[in-house]
Amino acid sequence: MLRLVRTDSDNQDFQSLVMLLDHYLAEIDDDEHAFYAQFNKVASLSHVVVAYLDDAPVGCGAFKPYAAETVEIKRMFVQPAHRGQGVARAVLAALEQWAAELGYAGCVLETGQRQAAAIALYQRSGYARTPNYGQYVGVENSVCLAKALARP
């Protein structure tokens, strides 16, 4: 059974999953990895969700404030053996619910063009492409998406 835990970036399971994520991204981003890595620091993230199956950490995600009423979804990852089982969708929904509970009205996120499965997940979850924001303006590989949140 899938269990979702709200925590922060000090969580050891989150840190282990992020190491796997960074390794994966280094492979697919190749020469662009250093650029993206500078924006993916996990120190001091207060809003982290870790997904567990049978007490084993299998996925994670986080958000951080982006603007007054908007959060940025960060560090979404599911271990390859557990992809396609709804873990990412559950983590994303939990992050959105948490953000809405805190009064945020929307989410933004960035992913890479080579991450077709991630883009499909976000679009199925109600995210729509938006112009690249912040540090991603003018970055060809970046795909930025946004979604309005329902208030609780």
Side-chain angles (χ1 to χ4, degrees):
M1 180 156 104
L2 187 66
R3 181 172 56 96
L4 302 174
V5 174
R6 289 181 179 184
T7 185
D8 60 31
S9 57
D10 290 335
N11 180 288
Q12 293 295 80
D13 292 330
F14 174 69
Q15 291 178 12
S16 296
L17 289 164
V18 165
M19 286 177 51
L20 295 172
L21 169 60
D22 287 339
H23 179 72
Y24 167 74
L25 291 175
E27 289 178 9
I28 65 169
D29 289 338
D30 198 29
D31 293 341
E32 298 171 323
H33 183 67
F35 169 78
Y36 290 109
Q38 68 183 318
F39 305 116
N40 289 324
K41 306 290 186 227
V42 296
S44 303
L45 288 174
S46 299
H47 305 96
V48 169
V49 170
V50 177
Y52 294 88
L53 277 174
D54 299 325
D55 294 322
V58 297
C60 65
F63 69 81
K64 66 180 186 177
Y66 176 72
E69 293 196 5
T70 308
V71 298
E72 183 178 25
I73 303 293
K74 304 292 290 178
R75 312 308 347 218
M76 289 287 298
F77 179 73
V78 175
Q79 293 202 40
H82 299 285
R83 292 182 185 161
Q85 300 173 14
V87 175
R89 189 171 36 251
V91 169
L92 183 59
L95 291 168
E96 292 169 351
Q97 179 181 345
W98 196 358
E101 288 171 10
L102 294 173
Y104 289 99
C107 300
V108 296
L109 60 86
E110 183 277 340
T111 191
Q113 290 201 31
R114 297 177 198 100
Q115 298 177 44
I119 293 169
L121 163 75
Y122 297 132
Q123 290 176 330
R124 280 191 314 272
S125 299
Y127 285 77
R129 285 195 71 156
T130 188
N132 287 9
Y133 59 87
Q135 62 268 22
Y136 306 113
V137 171
V139 179
E140 239 179 81
N141 181 51
S142 288
V143 174
C144 292
L145 300 119
K147 177 180 180 178
L149 296 175
R151 298 284 177 133

